[in-house]
Amino acid sequence: TKQTAVFRLLLQQKLGTDYIDILSGDKSPASTNDERGFISVDILSKYLSDPRLYHYYICGPQAMMDSTVQVLAELGVPSQNIHLEKFSF
């Protein structure tokens, strides 16, 4: 949710209109630069003209990271452009 997203306000300040919320736990309607659900081919393709050109830094629950890596692979993102930070409790 917007209330629990870590570094949300800081990232919004730094990125301005390039900041996009993609929230899986928020049931309110989406708006501009605001998506609901999980990171997907459709969402990334909507905001990035060529997703293969970027580096991705992913940290979160293992299932979310696995899903995101799979989406990036489907888009043809080189594995050296995908950076993971794994953690456990």
Side-chain angles (χ1 to χ4, degrees):
T1 67
K2 289 182 180 185
Q3 292 77 22
T4 61
V6 178
F7 301 121
R8 181 177 182 270
L9 295 177
L10 177 65
L11 288 168
Q12 278 183 315
Q13 290 171 347
K14 295 282 185 189
L15 298 173
T17 58
D18 289 332
Y19 177 84
I20 311 295
D21 272 320
I22 304 174
L23 302 170
S24 61
D26 193 326
K27 302 304 179 201
S28 65
S31 59
T32 304
N33 287 11
D34 194 36
E35 300 287 340
R36 296 294 176 267
F38 296 97
I39 295 170
S40 67
V41 168
D42 290 339
I43 289 174
L44 291 179
S45 297
K46 178 178 176 180
Y47 294 98
L48 304 173
S49 59
D50 187 352
R52 298 172 298 170
L53 300 178
Y54 299 90
H55 282 258
Y56 299 86
Y57 298 86
I58 306 164
C59 181
Q62 190 65 49
M64 188 263 324
M65 293 194 333
D66 292 345
S67 172
T68 302
V69 168
Q70 181 178 341
V71 166
L72 295 172
E74 288 175 34
L75 289 167
V77 174
S79 61
Q80 65 265 26
N81 290 14
I82 302 171
H83 311 279
L84 303 174
E85 182 176 339
K86 298 181 180 185
F87 66 90
S88 62
F89 295 97

